[in-house]
Amino acid sequence: MKKLSYLFAIVAAVFAVSCSSAPATPGDAALHIYELMADGQYEAVANEFYFGDKSAEDIEKGKDLIVSLLTEKGAPQMEAKGGIAATEVIEEIIAEDGQSAKVTLKITYGNGEVDDNNKLEFVKDPEGEWKVPFKK
């Protein structure tokens, strides 16, 4: 039953992602990123980063680095914990200027382990979309 619930959540997430535009809030963006990670869509996760004024070559290298880290380190860790079963936004703080934000998430893994202090930072890119700033 647990696997069926997990499968349904993944299908619902993929459907929601494919039928929607950019996430409206930083919290929505954070949930979107974790849905992509749960589905193993690491290249799509890399597209959720903002690279600022970096060259096209540096952006490509940055995305390759993100995909590599998620594939080599993130995926095995998530797999060892039974995958991501649920994500929940605990706190979303948007800066007064509306251009940056901090989001705290609660991640529940398939093995029951809970991480309720998972923090992500976001900035608005020039198109007004919430992205994780790439810091190397």
Side-chain angles (χ1 to χ4, degrees), residues 98-118:
Q99 297 301 304
S100 63
K102 294 181 180 183
V103 177
T104 303
L105 295 163
K106 175 182 175 182
I107 311 297
T108 304
Y109 296 96
N111 67 0
E113 184 179 328
V114 175
D115 175 3
D116 61 359
N117 195 28
N118 197 302

Side-chain angles (χ1 to χ4, degrees), residues 8-121:
F8 179 76
I10 297 257
V11 170
V14 169
F15 180 75
V17 167
S18 65
C19 294
S20 66
S21 58
T25 68
D28 290 344
L31 293 173
H32 175 68
I33 288 169
Y34 275 90
E35 289 167 355
L36 293 171
M37 286 194 321
D39 199 30
Q41 296 182 39
Y42 304 132
E43 289 177 8
V45 171
N47 289 329
E48 298 304 314
F49 281 75
Y50 177 61
F51 295 88
D53 60 358
K54 296 198 182 311
S55 70
E57 183 180 339
D58 286 344
I59 290 171
E60 194 60 36
K61 286 180 182 178
K63 288 182 178 183
D64 288 347
L65 177 63
I66 292 166
V67 171
S68 176
L69 288 171
L70 289 173
T71 302
E72 295 171 14
K73 296 187 183 215
Q77 289 177 2
M78 285 187 288
E79 190 175 306
K81 295 178 182 182
I84 297 173
T87 55
E88 177 186 346
V89 175
I90 296 174
E91 182 178 51
E92 176 184 79
I93 301 171
I94 299 174
E96 285 185 29
D97 66 2
Q99 297 301 304
S100 63
K102 294 181 180 183
V103 177
T104 303
L105 295 163
K106 175 182 175 182
I107 311 297
T108 304
Y109 296 96
N111 67 0
E113 184 179 328
V114 175
D115 175 3
D116 61 359
N117 195 28
N118 197 302
K119 297 177 188 282
L120 288 175
E121 292 183 17

